[in-house]
């Protein structure tokens, strides 16, 4: 297992476009988390899944954001009608229950 | 007030110095993580603590649950230790709450 993988590493998009990020967790991990980190700040929680169920969503996750984990394995995070304020590092992490928290390398989004 | 406070925000040291980064939190937790983030964004988990002390190479992490405080120490610091160090706590739920990080720069 190569850890938590995120794709793409970098994404530049024009304002108003939709973007989708992918996260592949550690295979035996049942929990998957999405966090967002803006420059100079610590990460902030967006949402998490246990298997395929989305159990918690932050109020930061506006209706332009949607996340899925259809088969309880990989997850996607989609942002519709991107805004400049969406520019950030999007981090994925996975764990087995509450153990073995492992982070991916992140996807850096720049909205121009 | 943030639930997780780190100090200092920025720290510059000379190679070989002993470094301490502090983390205080205001909520009950089941575990605390120390994380390292290099430029480019990837986060590496250094320690997960629920009590006492852990050591890995030149890194030592301690936690005092009663005082809601943790420290990360780096002995014999090296320029490759330069990174952002982030404290994150795990309350009763599943999601981590993060401090804002400490930017460490170790000069040769």
């Amino acid at each position: 297992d190569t850890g938590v993988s995120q794709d793409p590493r970098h994404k530049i998009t024009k304002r108003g476009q939709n973007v989708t990020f992918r996260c592949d967790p550690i295979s035996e991990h049942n929990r998957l988390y999405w966090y967002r980190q803006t420059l100079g700040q610590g990460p902030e929680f967006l949402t998490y899944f246990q298997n395929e169920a989305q159990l918690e969503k932050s109020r930061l996750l506006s209706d332009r954001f949607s996340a899925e984990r259809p088969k309880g394995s990989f997850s996607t995070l989609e942002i519709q009608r991107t805004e400049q304020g969406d520019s950030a590092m999007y981090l994925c992490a996975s764990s087995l229950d509450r153990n073995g928290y492992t982070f991916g390398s992140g996807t850096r989004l720049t909205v121009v | 007030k943030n639930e997780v406070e780190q100090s200092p925000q920025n720290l510059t040291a000379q190679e070989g110095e002993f470094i301490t980064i502090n983390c205080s939190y205001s909520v009950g937790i089941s575990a605390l993580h120390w994380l390292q983030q290099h430029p480019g964004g990837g986060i590496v988990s250094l320690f997960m603590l629920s009590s006492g002390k852990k050591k890995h190479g030149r890194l030592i992490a301690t936690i005092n649950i009663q005082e809601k405080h943790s420290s990360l120490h780096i002995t014999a610091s090296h320029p490759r230790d330069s990174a952002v160090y982030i404290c994150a706590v795990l309350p009763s739920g599943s999601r981590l709450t993060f401090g804002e990080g400490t930017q460490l720069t170790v000069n040769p």
Side-chain angles (χ1 to χ4, degrees), chain B residues 4 6 21 29 46 49-50 66 73-74 90 96 99 103:
Chain B
V4 182
Q6 285 185 236
I21 300 170
I29 66 169
L46 299 174
L49 295 163
S50 54
Q66 287 74 30
H73 307 284
I74 304 175
L90 190 62
L96 293 174
Q103 173 70 62

Side-chain angles (χ1 to χ4, degrees), chain A residues 9-10 31 33 35 37 40-45 48 56 89 91 98-101 103-106 108, chain B residues 30-31 33 35 37 40-45 48 86 90-101:
Chain A
R9 290 293 306 275
H10 303 275
R31 295 187 181 179
Y33 313 82
Y35 294 90
Q37 185 179 27
Q41 303 294 315
E44 296 174 296
F45 171 78
Y48 101 93
E56 189 177 353
M89 174 75 79
L91 292 162
R98 302 167 81 196
N99 301 311
Y101 236 99
F103 286 85
S105 296
R108 183 170 295 282
Chain B
S30 60
H33 292 251
L35 309 167
Q37 187 172 34
I43 288 181
V44 174
S45 180
M48 186 181 76
I86 302 173
L90 190 62
S92 58
S94 286
R95 58 181 175 92
L96 293 174
T97 301
F98 295 82
E100 294 192 349

Side-chain angles (χ1 to χ4, degrees), chain B residues 4-13 17-24 32-37 46-47 49 59-63 69-75 77 81-88 99-106:
Chain B
V4 182
E5 298 274 355
Q6 285 185 236
S7 63
Q9 286 188 317
N10 293 283
L11 180 57
T12 300
E17 286 186 358
F18 181 84
I19 287 162
T20 296
I21 300 170
N22 295 300
C23 175
S24 296
L32 180 145
H33 292 251
W34 280 104
L35 309 167
Q36 181 191 56
Q37 187 172 34
L46 299 174
F47 296 103
L49 295 163
L59 301 178
I60 302 166
T62 63
I63 188 168
H69 182 269
S70 175
S71 293
L72 176 68
H73 307 284
I74 304 175
T75 61
S77 59
D81 297 326
S82 298
V84 176
Y85 292 84
I86 302 173
C87 170
E100 294 192 349
T102 296
Q103 173 70 62
L104 171 65
T105 303
V106 182

Side-chain angles (χ1 to χ4, degrees), chain A residues 8-13 18-21 88 107-111:
Chain A
R9 290 293 306 275
H10 303 275
K11 177 71 177 179
I12 300 174
T13 191
N18 299 344
V19 293
T20 300
F21 311 140
T107 294
R108 183 170 295 282
L109 173 66
T110 303
V111 182

Side-chain angles (χ1 to χ4, degrees), chain A:
Chain A
D1 197 349
T2 55
V4 178
S5 299
Q6 290 189 245
D7 183 68
R9 290 293 306 275
H10 303 275
K11 177 71 177 179
I12 300 174
T13 191
K14 291 184 178 179
R15 190 176 54 181
Q17 296 293 304
N18 299 344
V19 293
T20 300
F21 311 140
R22 177 179 170 124
C23 172
D24 287 87
I26 290 176
S27 55
E28 59 266 27
H29 283 184
N30 56 349
R31 295 187 181 179
L32 185 149
Y33 313 82
W34 285 100
Y35 294 90
R36 181 174 68 185
Q37 185 179 27
T38 52
L39 203 59
Q41 303 294 315
E44 296 174 296
F45 171 78
L46 291 178
T47 188
Y48 101 93
F49 294 84
Q50 176 149 321
N51 301 313
E52 66 275 10
Q54 188 174 20
L55 294 189
E56 189 177 353
K57 289 172 61 172
S58 164
R59 61 180 180 275
L60 293 175
L61 216 65
S62 77
D63 56 6
R64 296 184 298 106
F65 287 70
S66 62
E68 294 183 343
R69 194 183 182 198
K71 297 181 181 178
S73 56
F74 74 92
S75 175
T76 57
L77 177 68
E78 181 183 16
I79 308 174
Q80 296 182 325
R81 305 181 304 281
T82 51
E83 301 173 356
Q84 286 188 320
D86 298 330
S87 296
M89 174 75 79
Y90 290 83
L91 292 162
C92 177
S94 70
S95 68
L96 179 61
D97 296 321
R98 302 167 81 196
N99 301 311
Y101 236 99
T102 305
F103 286 85
S105 296
T107 294
R108 183 170 295 282
L109 173 66
T110 303
V111 182
V112 297

